[in-house]
Amino acid sequence: MMVLVRFHFGILQFLILYLTVIFSYSQESALTAASRLLLHRIQYKEINPLPEGFCFKQHEDGKIYVSGLAEFTPDFNAAIFESIGVRNGSKAGNIYTVWVPLDKVKEFISLDGLIAFEPDQPALMHLDSVRKAARIDSVHQGIGLPLPLSGKNVVMGIIDAGYDYTHPVLFDTTYVSYRVKKIWEQKIQGTPPKGFFYGRELNDTSQIFSVKTDLAEGSHGIHVAGIAAGSGVDGSPEKTVHRGVAWQSDIVLVAILPSESHWFSTGMSDFIDGIQYIFNYADSVGKPAVVNLSWGCPLGPRDGQSLFSKALNNLVGSGKIFVLSAGNNNNNLIHLEKNFLNLDTSVSTIITFPATLPQKKNWIDIWGEPNEPFCLRFALWNGNIKTDSTSLICISNAVYDLILKGSDGDTCFITVAMSVKEPFNNKPHALIQVLSKTNNRLSLTAEGYYGNLHMWQGVVEKTRGHYGSFSKSGYAWAVNGDSRMVVSDMVTSGRAIGVAAFNSKNNFVNVDGAKQIYSGYPRGNIASFSSRGPTADGRTKPDIAAPGMIVSSAVSSTDSDFVAGGKDYASVTKIYTSPKNNVNYPFAALGGTSMSAPVVSGIVALMLEINPFLTPENVLNILAETAITDNFTGTIPQEGSPIWGFGKVNAFGAIKKTLSTVGITHTDDDLPCMVYPNPSASGHFSIYLNDSEKNSLLIKVYDTKGKTVFTSSYKTSEGSNILPLNLNYLSKGLYFLELIHQHQRSAVKIFKQ
């Protein structure tokens, strides 16, 4: 057995260093297991190449920074950041997004007032009949509603990568007006947006068109944007075949990936900054916003208490909604749970390695319950013969480097970073990185006395997730893992809307006329890959299910995967040749919770079009109350399902329910009309009226004392009429709107907020 910190140190040096590290770490209550591991790597000069499992940034000053989230006490003065070279972006409550110079990490975690520092861990992408399956077509057409809805006057924010900024779906349906209002390329040097110190903001349309795309090879972002907000300009006669959900919304794009030649990855703090940026823009134009994120991370406590969750809960609110994909891990046995009892105090499993990586590596994340310590042991096995083993390593505030030797003479390297009590959720935590050179199998044993222990695993490399499993591997003493609780940690945030995926269709005809069939995806059932909950603390996640298999939407004109001969060309459903620039713009059918999340984001935008003051709690309740259940979902319990959430999303039902949240009143005999948004923060209202013929309409507005503060006449046409009402000059408060139409009248309460 060999258990060494660095085997090239002598024994005396090892003891001195080990005791120094233990003492140093014990003084730093703000250290999480991840930050402790980062410090450990830096201390041993493992900075070339940079340590795996973290997100690094290079600013235009040439320095390398580690990014993350940091929570401070309320009286903390952020001005001190400048003195040690730390850069900060968003502030969500008492949580900051920070870039810390690699040589200043130890100084940073010693700052007075720091509660917790969590370095970013790499994140990954969660990669026609949709509108019908989610009952969106009825909303677009206004069937049974006071008016058709399209997301107008709502900001749709997309945080992603792989955009084609010139794609026709980002224009209006006439292919004239460009709907993208702002773009922030976070990893490209240039002029950053106001309030941030990095990246490049694109405001000018001509500049955006000259840039063309954030990644020449990549389409994830434009595919997601097309589902959520695409206009449907695709050359078809009706121009709606590829129409997105909120097809008249304003669009803000945040591009989060660097180029392949300069890779430092993407993490949680990037997402928080992107969310803040989109909400800042929405505030500047007085409009509500919904932000879509179709990314996740395989690690984290899944209890809604991470620094990301706390920061997000501070950012969202009235008219500020966040939607994200649940994840695609239901086919991976990457979770293992053990409930320790008096006579059952141990669990063992075999760690297998992702077959999709050239090296045998894995990351394992283990979380216990507060005040319930646990211990770990690792061993190598050649068949039924144990070839090497560590001693029992019990939870502490330390980092251990372990080396095991296999029967073939090769080694297995294991680094274990521990925290007795993580500062953001008080749980004991072990973060493990494994690199194995031996053909022997690796076992992990956990021991404890009381409480539940949860393990998760997964490796992220360049936005791709790679998964092994917890496995019996034929050993009677080992147990298999499962696919419970594998929604990403971000999904477990209390005020986030997590979306599962179901199969809206399982076949399509591609652009060459060949029928593509996906067996094993029965139409209407949950997608086999869709990650399930619940959260580690027993709450229902995901919240809702939406079409995610298989969805046709825009892909990039520069992405070689979707041109003839490309590896994904068989999924191309249409190619639209633009009359503007003669460029071929493809559309393709893809599947994943990456696709289901923007369906719900678009529906939320339609809801905000009616009531721009909906809170995350309002939206969650409405989606849950109106969700569809059927033979596939079965009867869903009152507390929800770990597979379906509260059922299949129902756009029509959600809109009908949202109508009841706005202050609309009609007199019994009178004029059917609707005033929206109501309340209005800007004072700009719209009046919807369906008239049987051309007529004149008189509108009067009174204050609460009966004084007339506005009067005007309008000409209506036969059919649907949407009339503007601008009361932005009036003070905030309650007013009474009177509409007089021939012998009909209607009185409506309106509120300027």
Side-chain angles (χ1 to χ4, degrees):
M1 177 187 73
M2 292 182 284
V3 182
L4 305 177
V5 173
R6 278 291 184 266
F7 57 86
H8 54 266
F9 285 104
I11 296 297
L12 181 60
Q13 290 171 303
F14 159 70
L15 290 173
I16 293 172
L17 178 59
Y18 181 78
L19 292 173
T20 300
V21 171
I22 292 290
F23 178 79
S24 172
Y25 289 162
S26 67
Q27 305 306 307
E28 307 295 351
S29 61
L31 276 172
T32 62
S35 55
R36 188 168 283 115
L37 177 59
L38 175 65
L39 266 178
H40 180 73
R41 296 298 197 201
I42 294 172
Q43 184 164 357
Y44 289 107
K45 308 301 181 185
E46 290 186 7
I47 57 174
N48 190 19
L50 293 166
E52 288 189 340
F54 302 98
C55 296
F56 300 95
K57 314 290 172 61
Q58 186 170 30
H59 195 47
E60 57 190 13
D61 58 12
K63 290 183 179 179
I64 303 297
Y65 298 79
V66 61
S67 60
L69 294 162
E71 183 177 13
F72 288 87
T73 56
D75 59 349
F76 175 73
N77 183 2
I80 198 172
F81 285 155
E82 187 175 352
S83 66
I84 59 174
V86 172
R87 298 174 177 272
N88 73 284
S90 301
K91 181 178 183 292
N94 296 323
I95 299 174
Y96 297 77
T97 59
V98 292
W99 286 19
V100 183
L102 278 186
D103 60 349
K104 298 291 185 180
V105 171
K106 190 170 183 179
E107 190 172 348
F108 176 75
I109 58 96
S110 299
L111 289 176
D112 289 338
L114 180 64
I115 297 172
F117 172 49
E118 186 75 343
D120 283 340
Q121 293 172 334
L124 65 143
M125 296 179 184
H126 281 159
L127 205 79
D128 37 311
S129 59
V130 166
R131 294 198 309 270
K132 183 177 180 181
R135 301 189 181 178
I136 296 166
D137 277 340
S138 298
V139 178
H140 283 177
Q141 298 170 35
I143 297 172
L145 300 172
L147 78 167
L149 297 167
S150 58
K152 193 172 183 180
N153 294 318
V154 178
V155 174
M156 174 61 70
I158 307 291
I159 301 175
D160 217 303
Y163 299 110
D164 184 339
Y165 302 145
T166 68
H167 205 291
V169 296
L170 300 179
F171 289 76
D172 67 358
T173 54
T174 66
Y175 201 6
V176 174
S177 297
Y178 191 58
R179 293 162 51 222
V180 177
K181 305 303 178 183
K182 283 183 180 291
I183 296 173
W184 181 19
E185 296 180 326
Q186 289 189 340
K187 305 303 191 307
I188 304 297
Q189 293 182 5
T191 302
K194 182 180 179 181
F196 298 92
F197 60 89
Y198 65 98
R200 174 174 69 176
E201 185 177 47
L202 306 177
N203 292 304
D204 180 74
T205 303
S206 60
Q207 181 190 23
I208 292 173
F209 292 166
S210 67
V211 170
K212 191 173 178 65
T213 182
D214 61 322
L215 295 173
E217 297 295 332
S219 291
H220 194 268
I222 189 62
H223 199 272
V224 167
I227 296 168
S231 63
V233 174
D234 61 0
S236 59
E238 67 278 37
K239 295 186 178 182
T240 62
V241 172
H242 290 102
R243 176 166 290 174
V245 184
W247 55 276
Q248 285 191 313
S249 59
D250 297 339
I251 301 172
V252 176
L253 304 177
V254 177
I256 56 178
L257 283 193
S259 66
E260 287 283 337
S261 62
H262 192 74
W263 194 272
F264 290 104
S265 201
T266 293
M268 308 293 187
S269 66
D270 298 313
F271 301 149
I272 291 295
D273 281 351
I275 296 166
Q276 180 70 78
Y277 172 75
I278 294 165
F279 287 162
N280 285 349
Y281 170 75
D283 284 342
S284 73
V285 294
K287 295 180 179 180
V290 56
V291 177
N292 185 90
L293 179 69
S294 290
W295 289 56
C297 180
L299 308 182
R302 268 91 164 177
D303 59 4
Q305 295 299 312
S306 67
L307 292 190
F308 174 89
S309 294
K310 292 180 179 181
L312 175 73
N313 291 343
N314 289 329
L315 289 181
V316 297
S318 176
K320 297 176 179 179
I321 311 299
F322 177 67
V323 177
L324 77 168
S325 53
N328 303 331
N329 292 125
N330 192 56
N331 292 326
N332 306 113
L333 304 180
I334 60 171
H335 170 253
L336 191 152
E337 179 181 5
K338 177 63 177 177
N339 184 18
F340 293 123
L341 301 171
N342 287 335
L343 299 178
D344 186 8
T345 59
S346 178
V347 63
S348 296
T349 189
I350 299 294
I351 305 295
T352 71
F353 298 93
T356 51
L357 290 174
Q359 293 180 304
K360 292 170 65 177
K361 63 171 66 174
N362 212 332
W363 304 340
I364 301 108
D365 206 21
I366 305 179
W367 296 83
E369 289 191 3
N371 303 314
E372 298 295 344
F374 58 85
C375 302
L376 304 174
R377 187 196 308 272
F378 299 88
L380 290 179
W381 296 82
N382 180 22
N384 290 319
I385 300 173
K386 184 188 295 185
T387 56
D388 203 355
S389 174
T390 70
S391 59
L392 203 60
I393 304 167
C394 293
I395 199 74
S396 63
N397 292 325
V399 178
Y400 302 90
D401 273 343
L402 316 173
I403 302 172
L404 297 176
K405 188 174 182 179
S407 60
D408 52 6
D410 279 331
T411 51
C412 179
F413 302 93
I414 306 168
T415 300
V416 183
M418 288 183 160
S419 178
V420 173
K421 183 173 72 172
E422 291 287 34
F424 50 80
N425 65 4
N426 296 322
K427 292 181 177 180
H429 179 207
L431 179 59
I432 303 164
Q433 294 183 347
V434 179
L435 175 62
S436 182
K437 304 288 187 178
T438 177
N439 290 324
N440 289 184
R441 286 173 169 161
L442 175 66
S443 69
L444 167 60
T445 297
E447 296 184 8
Y449 293 99
Y450 299 102
N452 273 17
L453 191 75
H454 291 280
M455 305 182 189
W456 291 275
Q457 61 165 280
V459 178
V460 178
E461 286 198 353
K462 298 185 177 181
T463 78
R464 297 290 184 246
H466 304 272
Y467 305 96
S469 65
F470 297 111
S471 173
K472 286 178 64 68
S473 297
Y475 293 98
W477 44 262
V479 299
N480 286 324
D482 58 51
S483 57
R484 296 179 62 250
M485 300 186 183
V486 294
V487 292
S488 77
D489 180 70
M490 292 184 290
V491 172
T492 68
S493 304
R495 307 188 79 189
I497 299 171
V499 186
F502 69 86
N503 310 317
S504 54
K505 62 181 179 182
N506 53 18
N507 66 83
F508 64 94
V509 176
N510 70 14
V511 70
D512 289 338
K515 190 171 185 178
Q516 305 296 304
I517 301 173
Y518 289 81
S519 59
Y521 292 91
R523 189 170 181 174
N525 205 354
I526 197 73
S528 61
F529 52 74
S530 185
S531 291
R532 65 181 63 189
T535 66
D537 57 327
R539 291 174 292 117
T540 294
K541 289 287 180 174
D543 300 289
I544 200 76
M549 184 66 191
I550 189 165
V551 185
S552 187
S553 181
V555 291
S556 177
S557 61
T558 68
D559 192 338
S560 62
D561 287 347
F562 297 98
V563 301
K567 69 181 184 68
D568 292 320
Y569 181 68
S571 67
V572 173
T573 56
K574 187 177 185 66
I575 298 175
Y576 172 58
T577 302
S578 168
K580 286 181 178 288
N581 54 18
N582 206 38
V583 170
N584 290 331
Y585 290 97
F587 295 77
L590 304 175
T593 56
S594 283
M595 285 69 249
S596 60
V599 174
V600 172
S601 293
I603 292 171
V604 171
L606 303 182
M607 296 165 67
L608 290 172
E609 185 179 358
I610 296 172
N611 184 348
F613 300 103
L614 292 175
T615 65
E617 291 75 17
N618 296 148
V619 172
L620 284 165
N621 288 337
I622 290 171
L623 293 178
E625 290 177 21
T626 60
I628 298 168
T629 58
D630 57 20
N631 290 335
F632 292 106
T633 68
T635 300
I636 291 180
Q638 185 175 359
E639 67 275 12
S641 159
I643 299 172
W644 293 94
F646 289 92
K648 297 178 178 179
V649 70
N650 179 359
F652 183 76
I655 295 304
K656 293 282 283 186
K657 187 71 177 179
T658 304
L659 288 170
S660 68
T661 69
V662 295
I664 303 173
T665 57
H666 299 276
T667 52
D668 293 338
D669 56 350
D670 303 22
L671 191 59
C673 67
M674 174 182 174
V675 181
Y676 68 96
N678 189 15
S680 170
S682 65
H684 291 272
F685 299 85
S686 293
I687 302 170
Y688 175 82
L689 173 70
N690 195 295
D691 211 337
S692 58
E693 58 184 357
K694 294 181 179 180
N695 269 306
S696 295
L697 178 70
L698 178 64
I699 295 178
K700 293 184 177 182
V701 178
Y702 307 92
D703 63 18
T704 54
K705 296 180 179 179
K707 179 182 176 182
T708 302
V709 294
F710 175 89
T711 184
S712 184
S713 60
Y714 296 83
K715 296 292 185 181
T716 64
S717 58
E718 183 179 355
S720 298
N721 294 266
I722 300 179
L723 311 174
L725 176 62
N726 182 9
L727 303 178
N728 65 334
Y729 59 90
L730 295 180
S731 301
K732 296 179 180 179
L734 177 67
Y735 295 89
F736 299 93
L737 171 66
E738 183 181 29
L739 298 94
I740 303 172
H741 177 267
Q742 290 186 330
H743 302 295
Q744 295 178 306
R745 65 183 295 278
S746 182
V748 180
K749 293 179 182 178
I750 58 176
F751 192 80
K752 183 185 177 189
Q753 197 167 48

